[in-house]
């Protein structure tokens, strides 16, 4: 079952638990950027913005994973930490131009072909009702030997350059899917 929600408080602990489990599976919980309290701070910031929403997948009563994101507001700083700044025309946000996918996390039993392919189903369900023109997300290009980035490319995203949005974050590949719907 896929559940669409904008109620972060009702599902906060679920988001935190899945974050810790999935990031732990990949040995990333020792990085300060991935600490549960740091993730919780980012979650609060994202969810406080107009238009934030999530889709949560359940297998029975158990969460299989989630995706969430928010439209980029006018004056958004999303593009400001790119190593090579895109043009002003490219980065001007209106609140309805670009949807930022902040997180896509799926528990191990539901990943890839061995599981039920929940990542793509979650992602597409989140974007299905969005009216923005394009979507963006950040991915660690070295994650799982580049396989995660390749998955996003197979979903229609292209790499438009690196950025490091937080002092303690990895340098991410900035991915863009334009147009939003495929």
């Amino acid at each position: 079952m896929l559940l669409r929600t904008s109620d972060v408080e009702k599902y906060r602990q679920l988001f935190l638990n899945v974050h810790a489990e999935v990031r732990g599976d990949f040995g990333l919980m020792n990085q300060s950027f991935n600490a549960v309290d740091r993730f919780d701070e980012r979650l609060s910031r994202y969810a406080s913005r107009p238009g934030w929403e999530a889709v949560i997948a359940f297998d029975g009563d158990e969460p299989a994973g989630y995706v969430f994101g928010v439209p980029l507001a006018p004056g958004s700083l999303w593009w400001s930490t790119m190593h090579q700044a895109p043009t002003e025309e490219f980065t001007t946000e209106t609140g309805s131009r670009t949807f930022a996918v902040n997180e896509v996390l799926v528990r191990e039993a539901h990943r890839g072909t061995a599981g039920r392919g929940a990542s793509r189903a979650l992602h597409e369900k989140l974007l299905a009702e969005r009216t923005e023109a394009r979507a963006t997300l950040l991915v660690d290009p070295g994650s799982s030997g580049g396989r995660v980035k390749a998955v996003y490319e197979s979903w229609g995203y292209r790499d438009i350059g690196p950025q490091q949005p937080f002092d303690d974050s990895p340098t991410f590949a900035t991915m863009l899917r334009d147009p939003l719907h495929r």
Side-chain angles (χ1 to χ4, degrees):
M1 173 184 84
L2 297 177
L3 169 76
R4 182 179 297 273
T5 185
S6 58
D7 188 348
V8 70
E9 293 312 321
K10 182 174 182 178
Y11 297 102
R12 182 178 297 276
Q13 196 58 54
L14 179 150
F15 294 134
L16 299 177
N17 291 347
V18 172
H19 165 82
E21 179 182 329
V22 172
R23 297 287 191 247
D25 288 349
F26 291 99
L28 301 173
M29 288 307 294
N30 62 342
Q31 298 171 2
S32 63
F33 178 73
N34 290 312
V36 172
D37 61 332
R38 288 274 288 124
F39 173 70
D40 193 25
E41 290 170 9
R42 290 191 305 276
L43 174 61
S44 292
R45 263 196 320 274
Y46 299 142
S48 71
R49 297 175 182 155
W52 180 90
E53 68 178 339
V55 175
I56 305 168
F58 288 93
D59 185 1
D61 293 335
E62 289 295 312
Y66 61 79
V67 59
F68 62 75
V70 65
L72 296 182
S76 171
L77 299 177
W78 180 271
W79 311 108
S80 67
T81 59
M82 290 191 67
H83 292 185
Q84 187 170 12
T87 66
E88 185 176 334
E89 178 183 343
F90 182 87
T91 62
T92 299
E93 294 300 339
T94 63
S96 62
R97 182 179 191 197
T98 308
F99 186 78
V101 178
N102 301 124
E103 292 286 332
V104 181
L105 289 178
V106 174
R107 297 172 75 198
E108 185 174 17
H110 303 277
R111 289 185 208 137
T113 56
R116 298 182 196 141
S119 296
R120 184 161 196 170
L122 281 164
H123 176 268
E124 296 307 318
K125 177 72 171 180
L126 179 65
L127 296 186
E129 296 179 21
R130 300 305 314 178
T131 59
E132 290 82 11
R134 61 191 188 174
T136 186
L137 58 79
L138 303 178
V139 63
D140 181 344
S143 181
S144 296
R147 288 189 308 274
V148 176
K149 183 174 181 263
V151 164
Y152 293 135
E153 290 169 337
S154 76
W155 297 354
Y157 286 88
R158 63 185 168 88
D159 186 342
I160 61 168
Q163 71 168 290
Q164 184 178 11
F166 302 96
D167 290 340
D168 63 345
S169 74
T171 297
F172 293 109
T174 308
M175 308 293 288
L176 185 73
R177 180 165 141 172
D178 188 7
L180 178 83
H181 298 288
R182 298 273 167 187

Coordinates of all heavy atoms in Angstrom, one line a residue, residues 50-126:
P50 N 6.1 25.1 2.3 CA 4.8 24.9 1.6 C 5.0 23.9 0.5 O 5.9 23.9 -0.2 CB 4.5 26.3 1.0 CG 5.3 27.3 1.8 CD 6.5 26.6 2.3
G51 N 4.0 22.9 0.5 CA 4.0 21.9 -0.6 C 4.7 20.6 -0.2 O 4.7 19.7 -1.1
W52 N 5.4 20.6 1.0 CA 6.1 19.3 1.3 C 5.1 18.2 1.4 O 4.0 18.3 1.9 CB 6.8 19.5 2.7 CG 7.5 18.2 3.1 CD1 8.8 18.0 2.8 CD2 7.0 17.1 3.9 NE1 9.2 16.8 3.3 CE2 8.1 16.2 4.0 CE3 5.8 16.8 4.4 CZ2 8.0 15.0 4.7 CZ3 5.7 15.6 5.1 CH2 6.8 14.7 5.2
E53 N 5.5 17.0 0.8 CA 4.7 15.8 1.0 C 5.6 14.6 0.9 O 6.7 14.7 0.4 CB 3.5 15.8 0.0 CG 3.9 15.6 -1.4 CD 2.6 15.5 -2.3 OE1 1.5 15.2 -1.8 OE2 2.8 15.8 -3.5
A54 N 5.0 13.5 1.4 CA 5.7 12.2 1.4 C 4.8 11.1 0.9 O 3.6 11.3 0.9 CB 6.2 11.9 2.8
V55 N 5.4 10.1 0.4 CA 4.7 8.9 0.1 C 5.4 7.7 0.8 O 6.7 7.6 0.7 CB 4.7 8.5 -1.4 CG1 4.0 7.2 -1.7 CG2 3.9 9.7 -2.2
I56 N 4.7 7.0 1.6 CA 5.2 5.9 2.4 C 4.6 4.6 1.8 O 3.4 4.5 1.6 CB 4.8 6.0 3.9 CG1 5.2 7.4 4.4 CG2 5.4 4.9 4.7 CD1 4.7 7.8 5.8
A57 N 5.5 3.6 1.6 CA 5.1 2.3 1.2 C 5.0 1.4 2.4 O 5.9 1.4 3.3 CB 6.1 1.7 0.2
F58 N 3.9 0.6 2.5 CA 3.8 -0.4 3.6 C 3.6 -1.7 3.0 O 3.0 -1.9 1.9 CB 2.5 0.0 4.4 CG 2.6 1.2 5.3 CD1 2.2 2.4 4.8 CD2 3.1 1.1 6.5 CE1 2.4 3.5 5.6 CE2 3.2 2.2 7.3 CZ 2.9 3.4 6.9
D59 N 4.2 -2.7 3.7 CA 4.0 -4.1 3.4 C 3.3 -4.7 4.6 O 3.9 -4.9 5.6 CB 5.4 -4.8 3.2 CG 5.2 -6.3 2.8 OD1 4.1 -6.7 2.6 OD2 6.3 -6.9 2.6
G60 N 2.0 -4.7 4.5 CA 1.1 -5.0 5.6 C 1.2 -3.8 6.6 O 1.0 -2.7 6.1
D61 N 1.6 -4.1 7.8 CA 1.7 -3.0 8.8 C 3.1 -2.4 8.8 O 3.4 -1.4 9.5 CB 1.3 -3.5 10.2 CG -0.2 -3.8 10.3 OD1 -0.9 -3.2 9.5 OD2 -0.5 -4.6 11.2
E62 N 4.1 -3.0 8.1 CA 5.5 -2.6 8.2 C 5.8 -1.6 7.1 O 5.5 -1.9 5.9 CB 6.4 -3.9 8.1 CG 6.4 -4.8 9.3 CD 7.0 -4.1 10.5 OE1 8.0 -3.5 10.4 OE2 6.3 -4.2 11.5
P63 N 6.5 -0.6 7.4 CA 7.0 0.3 6.4 C 8.0 -0.3 5.5 O 8.9 -1.0 6.0 CB 7.5 1.5 7.2 CG 7.9 1.0 8.5 CD 7.0 -0.2 8.8
A64 N 7.9 -0.2 4.2 CA 8.9 -0.7 3.3 C 9.9 0.4 2.9 O 11.0 0.1 2.5 CB 8.2 -1.2 2.0
G65 N 9.4 1.7 2.9 CA 10.3 2.8 2.6 C 9.5 4.0 2.4 O 8.2 4.0 2.6
Y66 N 10.1 5.1 2.0 CA 9.4 6.4 1.8 C 10.2 7.2 0.8 O 11.4 7.0 0.5 CB 9.2 7.1 3.1 CG 10.5 7.5 3.8 CD1 11.2 8.6 3.5 CD2 10.9 6.7 4.9 CE1 12.4 8.9 4.2 CE2 12.0 7.1 5.6 CZ 12.8 8.2 5.2 OH 13.9 8.5 5.9
V67 N 9.5 8.2 0.3 CA 10.1 9.3 -0.5 C 9.4 10.6 0.0 O 8.3 10.6 0.3 CB 9.9 9.1 -2.0 CG1 8.4 9.0 -2.4 CG2 10.6 10.1 -2.9
F68 N 10.2 11.7 0.0 CA 9.5 13.0 0.3 C 10.3 14.1 -0.4 O 11.4 13.9 -0.8 CB 9.4 13.3 1.7 CG 10.6 13.4 2.6 CD1 11.5 14.5 2.5 CD2 10.9 12.3 3.5 CE1 12.6 14.6 3.3 CE2 12.1 12.4 4.3 CZ 12.9 13.5 4.2
G69 N 9.6 15.2 -0.6 CA 10.2 16.3 -1.3 C 9.3 17.6 -1.2 O 8.2 17.5 -0.5
V70 N 9.8 18.6 -1.8 CA 9.1 19.9 -1.6 C 9.4 20.8 -2.9 O 10.5 20.7 -3.4 CB 9.6 20.6 -0.3 CG1 11.1 20.9 -0.4 CG2 8.8 21.8 0.0
P71 N 8.5 21.6 -3.3 CA 8.8 22.6 -4.4 C 9.8 23.6 -3.9 O 9.8 24.0 -2.8 CB 7.4 23.3 -4.7 CG 6.4 22.5 -3.9 CD 7.1 21.7 -2.8
L72 N 10.7 24.0 -4.9 CA 11.6 25.0 -4.6 C 10.9 26.4 -4.6 O 10.3 26.7 -5.6 CB 12.8 25.0 -5.5 CG 13.6 23.7 -5.5 CD1 14.8 23.8 -6.5 CD2 14.2 23.4 -4.1
A73 N 11.0 27.1 -3.5 CA 10.4 28.4 -3.4 C 11.2 29.5 -4.1 O 12.4 29.3 -4.3 CB 10.2 28.8 -1.9
P74 N 10.5 30.6 -4.4 CA 11.3 31.8 -4.9 C 12.4 32.1 -3.9 O 12.3 32.1 -2.7 CB 10.3 32.9 -5.0 CG 9.0 32.2 -5.1 CD 9.1 30.9 -4.3
G75 N 13.6 32.3 -4.5 CA 14.8 32.6 -3.6 C 15.4 31.4 -3.0 O 16.3 31.5 -2.2
S76 N 15.0 30.2 -3.4 CA 15.6 29.0 -2.9 C 17.1 29.0 -3.1 O 17.6 29.5 -4.1 CB 15.0 27.8 -3.7 OG 15.7 26.6 -3.3
L77 N 17.8 28.4 -2.1 CA 19.3 28.3 -2.1 C 19.7 27.0 -2.7 O 20.9 26.7 -2.7 CB 19.8 28.5 -0.7 CG 19.5 29.8 -0.1 CD1 20.1 29.9 1.3 CD2 20.1 31.0 -0.9
W78 N 18.8 26.2 -3.2 CA 19.1 24.8 -3.7 C 20.3 24.8 -4.7 O 21.2 24.0 -4.6 CB 17.9 24.2 -4.4 CG 18.1 22.9 -5.0 CD1 18.6 22.5 -6.2 CD2 17.9 21.6 -4.3 NE1 18.6 21.2 -6.4 CE2 18.2 20.6 -5.2 CE3 17.4 21.3 -3.0 CZ2 18.1 19.2 -4.9 CZ3 17.3 19.9 -2.7 CH2 17.7 18.9 -3.6
W79 N 20.3 25.8 -5.6 CA 21.4 25.8 -6.7 C 22.6 26.5 -6.2 O 23.7 26.4 -6.9 CB 20.8 26.4 -7.9 CG 19.5 25.9 -8.4 CD1 18.3 26.5 -8.3 CD2 19.2 24.6 -8.9 NE1 17.3 25.8 -8.8 CE2 17.8 24.6 -9.2 CE3 20.0 23.5 -9.3 CZ2 17.2 23.4 -9.7 CZ3 19.4 22.4 -9.8 CH2 18.0 22.4 -10.1
S80 N 22.6 27.2 -5.1 CA 23.7 28.1 -4.7 C 25.0 27.4 -4.3 O 26.1 28.0 -4.3 CB 23.3 29.0 -3.5 OG 23.0 28.2 -2.3
T81 N 25.0 26.1 -4.0 CA 26.2 25.4 -3.6 C 26.8 24.5 -4.7 O 27.7 23.7 -4.4 CB 26.0 24.5 -2.3 OG1 24.9 23.6 -2.6 CG2 25.6 25.4 -1.1
M82 N 26.3 24.7 -5.9 CA 26.8 24.0 -7.0 C 28.2 24.5 -7.3 O 28.5 25.7 -7.2 CB 26.0 24.1 -8.3 CG 24.7 23.3 -8.1 SD 23.7 23.2 -9.7 CE 24.8 22.1 -10.6
H83 N 29.2 23.6 -7.6 CA 30.5 24.0 -7.9 C 30.7 25.0 -9.0 O 31.5 25.9 -9.0 CB 31.4 22.8 -8.1 CG 31.6 22.0 -6.8 ND1 32.4 20.9 -6.7 CD2 31.0 22.1 -5.6 CE1 32.3 20.4 -5.5 NE2 31.5 21.1 -4.8
Q84 N 29.9 24.8 -10.0 CA 29.8 25.7 -11.2 C 28.4 26.2 -11.3 O 27.5 25.4 -11.7 CB 30.3 25.1 -12.5 CG 30.4 26.0 -13.6 CD 31.1 25.4 -14.8 OE1 31.3 24.2 -14.8 NE2 31.5 26.2 -15.8
A85 N 28.1 27.4 -10.9 CA 26.8 27.9 -10.9 C 26.1 28.0 -12.3 O 26.7 28.5 -13.2 CB 26.8 29.3 -10.3
P86 N 24.9 27.4 -12.3 CA 24.1 27.5 -13.6 C 23.7 28.9 -13.8 O 23.8 29.8 -12.9 CB 22.9 26.6 -13.3 CG 23.2 25.8 -12.1 CD 24.2 26.6 -11.4
T87 N 23.1 29.2 -14.9 CA 22.7 30.6 -15.2 C 21.5 31.0 -14.3 O 20.8 30.1 -13.8 CB 22.2 30.7 -16.7 OG1 21.0 29.9 -16.9 CG2 23.3 30.3 -17.7
E88 N 21.3 32.3 -14.2 CA 20.2 32.8 -13.4 C 18.9 32.3 -14.0 O 18.0 32.0 -13.3 CB 20.3 34.3 -13.3 CG 19.2 34.9 -12.4 CD 19.3 36.4 -12.3 OE1 20.4 37.0 -12.5 OE2 18.3 37.0 -12.0
E89 N 18.8 32.3 -15.3 CA 17.6 31.8 -16.0 C 17.3 30.4 -15.5 O 16.1 30.0 -15.3 CB 17.7 31.9 -17.5 CG 16.5 31.3 -18.2 CD 16.7 31.3 -19.7 OE1 17.6 32.0 -20.2 OE2 16.0 30.6 -20.4
F90 N 18.3 29.5 -15.4 CA 18.1 28.1 -15.0 C 17.7 28.0 -13.5 O 16.9 27.2 -13.2 CB 19.4 27.4 -15.2 CG 19.3 25.9 -14.9 CD1 18.8 25.0 -15.8 CD2 19.6 25.4 -13.6 CE1 18.7 23.6 -15.5 CE2 19.5 24.1 -13.3 CZ 19.1 23.2 -14.2
T91 N 18.3 28.9 -12.7 CA 18.1 28.7 -11.2 C 16.9 29.6 -10.6 O 16.6 29.4 -9.5 CB 19.4 29.1 -10.4 OG1 19.7 30.5 -10.7 CG2 20.5 28.2 -10.9
T92 N 16.3 30.4 -11.4 CA 15.2 31.2 -10.9 C 14.0 30.3 -10.6 O 13.5 29.6 -11.5 CB 14.8 32.3 -11.9 OG1 15.9 33.2 -12.1 CG2 13.6 33.1 -11.4
E93 N 13.6 30.3 -9.4 CA 12.5 29.5 -8.9 C 11.2 30.3 -8.7 O 11.3 31.5 -8.2 CB 12.9 28.7 -7.7 CG 14.0 27.7 -7.9 CD 13.6 26.6 -8.9 OE1 12.4 26.4 -9.2 OE2 14.5 26.0 -9.5
T94 N 10.1 29.7 -8.9 CA 8.8 30.4 -8.8 C 7.9 29.8 -7.7 O 6.9 30.3 -7.4 CB 8.1 30.3 -10.1 OG1 7.8 28.9 -10.4 CG2 8.9 31.0 -11.3
G95 N 8.3 28.7 -7.2 CA 7.5 27.9 -6.3 C 6.7 26.9 -7.0 O 6.1 26.0 -6.4
S96 N 6.7 26.9 -8.3 CA 6.0 25.9 -9.1 C 6.8 25.4 -10.3 O 6.3 24.7 -11.1 CB 4.7 26.5 -9.6 OG 4.9 27.6 -10.5
R97 N 8.1 25.8 -10.3 CA 8.9 25.4 -11.4 C 9.6 24.0 -11.2 O 9.7 23.2 -12.1 CB 10.0 26.4 -11.7 CG 10.9 26.1 -12.9 CD 11.9 27.2 -13.1 NE 12.6 26.9 -14.4 CZ 13.7 27.5 -14.7 NH1 14.3 28.4 -14.0 NH2 14.2 27.2 -15.9
T98 N 10.2 23.8 -10.0 CA 11.0 22.7 -9.7 C 10.6 22.0 -8.4 O 10.4 22.7 -7.4 CB 12.5 23.1 -9.6 OG1 12.9 23.9 -10.7 CG2 13.4 21.9 -9.4
F99 N 10.5 20.7 -8.4 CA 10.2 19.9 -7.3 C 11.5 19.2 -6.8 O 12.1 18.5 -7.7 CB 9.1 18.9 -7.5 CG 8.7 18.1 -6.3 CD1 7.8 18.7 -5.4 CD2 9.1 16.9 -6.0 CE1 7.4 18.1 -4.2 CE2 8.7 16.2 -4.9 CZ 7.9 16.8 -4.0
A100 N 11.9 19.4 -5.6 CA 13.1 18.8 -5.1 C 12.7 17.5 -4.3 O 12.0 17.5 -3.3 CB 13.8 19.7 -4.1
V101 N 13.2 16.4 -4.8 CA 13.1 15.1 -4.1 C 14.2 15.0 -3.1 O 15.4 14.9 -3.4 CB 13.1 13.9 -5.1 CG1 13.0 12.6 -4.4 CG2 12.1 14.1 -6.2
N102 N 13.8 15.1 -1.8 CA 14.8 15.2 -0.7 C 15.3 13.8 -0.3 O 16.5 13.7 0.0 CB 14.3 15.9 0.5 CG 13.8 17.3 0.2 OD1 12.7 17.7 0.4 ND2 14.7 18.1 -0.3
E103 N 14.5 12.8 -0.3 CA 14.9 11.5 0.2 C 14.1 10.4 -0.5 O 12.9 10.6 -0.7 CB 14.6 11.3 1.7 CG 15.4 12.2 2.6 CD 16.8 11.7 2.8 OE1 17.1 10.5 2.6 OE2 17.7 12.5 3.1
V104 N 14.8 9.3 -0.9 CA 14.2 8.1 -1.3 C 14.9 7.0 -0.6 O 16.1 6.7 -0.8 CB 14.4 7.9 -2.9 CG1 13.7 6.6 -3.3 CG2 13.9 9.1 -3.7
L105 N 14.2 6.4 0.4 CA 14.8 5.3 1.2 C 13.9 4.1 1.2 O 12.7 4.2 1.5 CB 15.1 5.8 2.6 CG 16.2 6.8 2.8 CD1 16.3 7.2 4.2 CD2 17.5 6.3 2.3
V106 N 14.5 2.9 1.0 CA 13.7 1.7 0.9 C 14.5 0.7 1.7 O 15.7 0.5 1.6 CB 13.5 1.3 -0.5 CG1 12.8 -0.1 -0.6 CG2 12.6 2.3 -1.2
R107 N 13.8 0.0 2.6 CA 14.4 -1.1 3.4 C 14.8 -2.2 2.5 O 14.3 -2.5 1.4 CB 13.4 -1.6 4.4 CG 13.0 -0.5 5.4 CD 11.9 -0.8 6.3 NE 12.4 -1.7 7.3 CZ 11.6 -2.5 8.1 NH1 10.3 -2.5 7.9 NH2 12.1 -3.3 9.0
E108 N 15.8 -3.0 2.9 CA 16.5 -4.0 2.1 C 15.6 -5.0 1.4 O 15.8 -5.2 0.2 CB 17.6 -4.7 3.0 CG 18.4 -5.7 2.2 CD 19.5 -6.3 3.0 OE1 19.5 -6.3 4.2 OE2 20.5 -6.8 2.3
A109 N 14.7 -5.5 2.0 CA 13.8 -6.5 1.4 C 13.0 -6.0 0.2 O 12.5 -6.8 -0.5 CB 12.9 -7.1 2.5
H110 N 12.9 -4.7 0.1 CA 12.1 -4.1 -1.0 C 12.9 -3.4 -2.0 O 12.3 -2.7 -2.9 CB 11.1 -3.2 -0.3 CG 10.3 -3.9 0.7 ND1 9.1 -4.6 0.4 CD2 10.4 -4.0 2.0 CE1 8.6 -5.1 1.4 NE2 9.4 -4.7 2.5
R111 N 14.2 -3.6 -2.0 CA 15.1 -2.9 -3.0 C 15.3 -3.7 -4.2 O 15.4 -4.9 -4.2 CB 16.5 -2.6 -2.4 CG 16.5 -1.6 -1.3 CD 17.9 -1.4 -0.8 NE 17.8 -0.9 0.5 CZ 18.6 -1.3 1.5 NH1 19.6 -2.1 1.3 NH2 18.4 -0.9 2.7
G112 N 15.4 -3.0 -5.4 CA 15.8 -3.6 -6.6 C 15.0 -4.8 -7.1 O 13.9 -5.0 -6.6
T113 N 15.6 -5.6 -7.9 CA 14.8 -6.7 -8.5 C 14.7 -7.8 -7.5 O 13.7 -8.6 -7.6 CB 15.6 -7.3 -9.7 OG1 16.9 -7.6 -9.4 CG2 15.6 -6.2 -10.8
A114 N 15.5 -7.9 -6.5 CA 15.4 -9.0 -5.5 C 14.2 -8.7 -4.6 O 13.5 -9.6 -4.1 CB 16.6 -9.1 -4.6
G115 N 13.8 -7.4 -4.4 CA 12.7 -7.0 -3.6 C 11.5 -6.8 -4.6 O 11.3 -7.5 -5.5
R116 N 10.8 -5.7 -4.3 CA 9.6 -5.5 -5.1 C 9.7 -4.2 -5.9 O 8.8 -3.7 -6.4 CB 8.4 -5.4 -4.2 CG 8.2 -6.8 -3.6 CD 7.0 -6.8 -2.7 NE 7.1 -8.0 -1.9 CZ 6.8 -8.1 -0.6 NH1 6.2 -7.1 -0.1 NH2 7.0 -9.2 0.0
G117 N 11.0 -3.6 -6.0 CA 11.2 -2.4 -6.7 C 10.4 -1.2 -6.2 O 9.9 -0.4 -6.9
A118 N 10.4 -1.1 -4.8 CA 9.6 -0.1 -4.2 C 10.1 1.3 -4.5 O 9.3 2.3 -4.5 CB 9.5 -0.3 -2.7
S119 N 11.4 1.5 -4.7 CA 12.0 2.9 -4.9 C 11.3 3.6 -6.0 O 10.8 4.7 -5.9 CB 13.5 2.8 -5.1 OG 14.1 2.3 -4.0
R120 N 11.3 3.0 -7.2 CA 10.7 3.6 -8.4 C 9.2 3.8 -8.2 O 8.6 4.9 -8.5 CB 10.9 2.8 -9.6 CG 10.4 3.6 -10.8 CD 10.9 3.1 -12.1 NE 10.6 4.1 -13.1 CZ 11.2 4.1 -14.3 NH1 12.0 3.2 -14.6 NH2 10.8 5.0 -15.2
A121 N 8.5 2.9 -7.6 CA 7.0 3.0 -7.4 C 6.8 4.2 -6.4 O 5.9 5.0 -6.7 CB 6.4 1.7 -6.8
L122 N 7.5 4.3 -5.4 CA 7.4 5.5 -4.5 C 7.7 6.8 -5.2 O 6.9 7.7 -5.1 CB 8.4 5.3 -3.3 CG 8.0 4.4 -2.2 CD1 9.2 4.0 -1.3 CD2 6.9 5.0 -1.4
H123 N 8.8 6.8 -5.9 CA 9.2 8.0 -6.6 C 8.1 8.5 -7.6 O 7.7 9.6 -7.6 CB 10.5 7.8 -7.3 CG 11.0 8.9 -8.2 ND1 10.7 9.0 -9.5 CD2 11.8 10.0 -7.9 CE1 11.3 10.1 -10.0 NE2 11.9 10.7 -9.0
E124 N 7.6 7.6 -8.4 CA 6.7 7.9 -9.5 C 5.3 8.3 -8.8 O 4.6 9.2 -9.3 CB 6.5 6.8 -10.5 CG 7.8 6.5 -11.3 CD 8.4 7.8 -12.0 OE1 7.6 8.6 -12.5 OE2 9.6 7.9 -11.9
K125 N 5.0 7.7 -7.7 CA 3.7 8.0 -7.0 C 3.8 9.4 -6.5 O 2.8 10.2 -6.6 CB 3.4 7.0 -5.9 CG 2.2 7.4 -5.1 CD 0.9 7.1 -5.8 CE -0.3 7.2 -4.9 NZ -1.5 7.0 -5.6
L126 N 5.0 9.8 -5.9 CA 5.1 11.2 -5.4 C 5.0 12.2 -6.6 O 4.3 13.2 -6.4 CB 6.5 11.3 -4.7 CG 6.8 12.7 -4.2 CD1 5.8 13.1 -3.0 CD2 8.2 12.8 -3.7

